[in-house]
Coordinates of all heavy atoms in Angstrom, one line a residue:
Chain B
A358 N -18.5 9.4 -4.7 CA -18.8 10.7 -5.2 C -18.9 10.7 -6.7 O -18.2 9.9 -7.4 CB -17.7 11.7 -4.8
G359 N -19.8 11.5 -7.2 CA -20.0 11.5 -8.7 C -21.5 11.5 -9.0 O -22.3 12.1 -8.3
L360 N -21.8 10.7 -10.0 CA -23.1 10.7 -10.5 C -23.8 9.3 -10.2 O -25.0 9.2 -10.5 CB -23.2 10.9 -12.0 CG -22.8 12.3 -12.4 CD1 -22.4 12.4 -13.9 CD2 -23.9 13.3 -12.2
H361 N -23.0 8.4 -9.7 CA -23.6 7.1 -9.3 C -24.4 6.4 -10.4 O -25.4 5.8 -10.1 CB -24.5 7.3 -8.0 CG -23.9 8.2 -7.0 ND1 -22.7 8.0 -6.3 CD2 -24.3 9.5 -6.6 CE1 -22.4 9.0 -5.6 NE2 -23.4 9.9 -5.7
C362 N -24.0 6.6 -11.6 CA -24.7 6.0 -12.7 C -26.1 6.4 -12.7 O -27.0 5.6 -13.0 CB -24.6 4.5 -12.7 SG -22.9 3.9 -12.9
A363 N -26.4 7.6 -12.3 CA -27.8 8.0 -12.4 C -27.8 9.5 -12.8 O -28.2 10.4 -12.0 CB -28.5 7.8 -11.0
Q364 N -27.4 9.7 -14.0 CA -27.2 11.1 -14.4 C -28.6 11.8 -14.7 O -28.7 13.0 -14.3 CB -26.3 11.1 -15.7 CG -25.7 12.5 -15.9 CD -24.7 12.5 -17.0 OE1 -24.2 11.4 -17.4 NE2 -24.4 13.7 -17.6
P365 N -29.5 11.1 -15.3 CA -30.8 11.8 -15.4 C -31.4 12.3 -14.1 O -31.9 13.4 -14.0 CB -31.7 10.7 -16.0 CG -30.8 9.9 -16.8 CD -29.6 9.8 -16.0
L366 N -31.2 11.6 -13.0 CA -31.7 12.0 -11.7 C -30.9 13.3 -11.3 O -31.5 14.2 -10.7 CB -31.5 10.9 -10.7 CG -32.0 11.3 -9.3 CD1 -33.5 11.6 -9.2 CD2 -31.7 10.2 -8.3
H367 N -29.6 13.3 -11.5 CA -28.9 14.5 -11.2 C -29.3 15.7 -12.0 O -29.3 16.8 -11.4 CB -27.4 14.2 -11.3 CG -26.8 13.5 -10.2 ND1 -27.0 12.1 -10.0 CD2 -26.1 13.9 -9.1 CE1 -26.4 11.7 -8.9 NE2 -25.8 12.7 -8.3
E368 N -29.7 15.5 -13.2 CA -30.3 16.6 -14.0 C -31.5 17.1 -13.3 O -31.7 18.3 -13.2 CB -30.7 16.0 -15.4 CG -30.0 16.5 -16.6 CD -30.7 16.0 -17.8 OE1 -30.8 14.8 -18.0 OE2 -31.3 16.9 -18.5
V369 N -32.4 16.2 -12.9 CA -33.6 16.6 -12.2 C -33.3 17.4 -10.9 O -33.9 18.4 -10.6 CB -34.5 15.4 -11.9 CG1 -35.7 15.8 -11.0 CG2 -34.9 14.7 -13.2
L370 N -32.3 16.9 -10.2 CA -31.9 17.5 -8.9 C -31.2 18.8 -9.2 O -30.9 19.6 -8.3 CB -31.1 16.6 -8.1 CG -31.8 15.3 -7.6 CD1 -30.7 14.4 -6.9 CD2 -32.9 15.6 -6.6
E371 N -30.8 19.0 -10.4 CA -30.0 20.2 -10.8 C -28.7 20.3 -10.1 O -28.3 21.4 -9.6 CB -30.9 21.5 -10.7 CG -32.1 21.4 -11.6 CD -32.9 22.7 -11.6 OE1 -32.7 23.5 -10.6 OE2 -33.7 22.9 -12.5
I372 N -28.0 19.2 -10.0 CA -26.7 19.2 -9.4 C -25.7 18.5 -10.3 O -26.1 17.6 -11.1 CB -26.7 18.6 -8.0 CG1 -27.3 17.2 -8.0 CG2 -27.4 19.5 -7.0 CD1 -27.3 16.4 -6.7
N373 N -24.4 18.8 -10.2 CA -23.4 18.2 -11.0 C -22.9 16.9 -10.5 O -22.3 16.1 -11.2 CB -22.3 19.2 -11.2 CG -22.6 20.3 -12.1 OD1 -23.3 20.1 -13.1 ND2 -22.1 21.5 -11.7
S374 N -23.1 16.7 -9.2 CA -22.6 15.4 -8.6 C -23.1 15.4 -7.2 O -23.6 16.4 -6.7 CB -21.1 15.3 -8.7 OG -20.5 16.1 -7.6

Side-chain angles (χ1 to χ4, degrees):
Chain B
L360 293 162
H361 320 294
C362 299
Q364 201 170 341
L366 179 63
H367 281 77
E368 244 190 297
V369 172
L370 296 173
E371 298 184 342
I372 51 176
N373 287 322
S374 79

